[in-house]
Amino acid sequence: MSQQPPTSTASDTEMQNTMEQARKAIHRLQAESASWEALLDKHRSKAEQLDRQLEQCLENGVMLDPSCLAQSSQSQLIQNKPDYHSVLRRQRAVLSTVELVMDTQCKMVRELQSRQEQAQLLVNETSSRLAADVGFQYLSSDPIRDLLAGPVSSVSTNTSSTV
């Protein structure tokens, strides 16, 4: 007798739901893509039409006002944008001062880091020298952590033996 694998209706239903959602998403994306393509084609045809009109006018020797050709909202936005070059020219002194302050601060931070490293080296050397002079070479390199970690196990065995 051959055994048939058990069918799971719950997972089949989930799979069908997932597939249906994927189909809907694909259909929605295809419709959106078609809308974008239609919009792009519309703008291309307008641009080609304006290009043809411009060529005809140039062939006939007619001078055109550039504001007549650019009627889109993008061209209006571009025409009304601030002159960033003049803004930068007006702010040049402020920007130079900010740059100078930032450079000075960076140098100060580097110098402080260097001094901190030198101080740490000096402390380590002095501690090592003092430990060698007194005979504490066998002590932990970080006694504060050892102290915070709790009592040493030898102390607890001494207290239990006295009881």
Side-chain angles (χ1 to χ4, degrees):
M1 290 182 113
S2 66
Q3 283 185 327
Q4 292 186 3
T7 59
S8 174
T9 58
S11 65
D12 288 345
T13 305
E14 288 177 25
M15 180 62 79
Q16 289 174 354
N17 288 341
T18 304
M19 292 296 289
E20 185 61 29
Q21 289 175 352
R23 281 189 209 105
K24 287 179 181 178
I26 290 171
H27 186 315
R28 181 181 50 82
L29 289 172
Q30 287 173 336
E32 186 177 338
S33 175
S35 296
W36 282 110
E37 287 296 325
L39 182 63
L40 180 63
D41 289 342
K42 177 182 168 187
H43 283 288
R44 279 184 184 151
S45 66
K46 273 187 177 180
E48 289 170 358
Q49 180 184 7
L50 283 173
D51 196 35
R52 283 192 299 274
Q53 288 175 354
L54 178 63
E55 285 178 15
Q56 288 175 355
C57 289
L58 291 176
E59 287 173 1
N60 295 336
V62 177
M63 297 299 294
L64 296 176
D65 182 18
S67 64
C68 295
L69 295 174
Q71 297 298 321
S72 70
S73 60
Q74 294 88 352
S75 65
Q76 291 173 2
L77 178 71
I78 290 170
Q79 289 173 357
N80 293 329
K81 75 177 179 75
D83 182 11
Y84 293 112
H85 292 291
S86 66
V87 171
L88 284 173
R89 274 194 307 275
R90 286 192 312 259
Q91 298 298 322
R92 185 170 294 165
V94 173
L95 294 173
S96 295
T97 304
V98 168
E99 182 181 19
L100 181 64
V101 168
M102 293 298 291
D103 287 344
T104 305
Q105 299 250 330
C106 286
K107 288 177 184 176
M108 288 173 41
V109 167
R110 280 191 224 110
E111 183 65 28
L112 285 172
Q113 287 174 333
S114 173
R115 301 276 174 138
Q116 180 183 13
E117 290 170 3
Q118 290 173 354
Q120 187 62 44
L121 286 173
L122 182 62
V123 167
N124 289 344
E125 289 174 7
T126 305
S127 295
S128 298
R129 196 170 348 113
L130 288 174
D133 290 347
V134 179
F136 289 147
Q137 296 93 341
Y138 61 89
L139 288 179
S140 170
S141 63
D142 198 352
I144 294 177
R145 276 204 185 128
D146 294 341
L147 181 64
L148 292 174
V152 182
S153 61
S154 63
V155 173
S156 62
T157 55
N158 289 342
T159 57
S160 63
S161 63
T162 57
V163 175

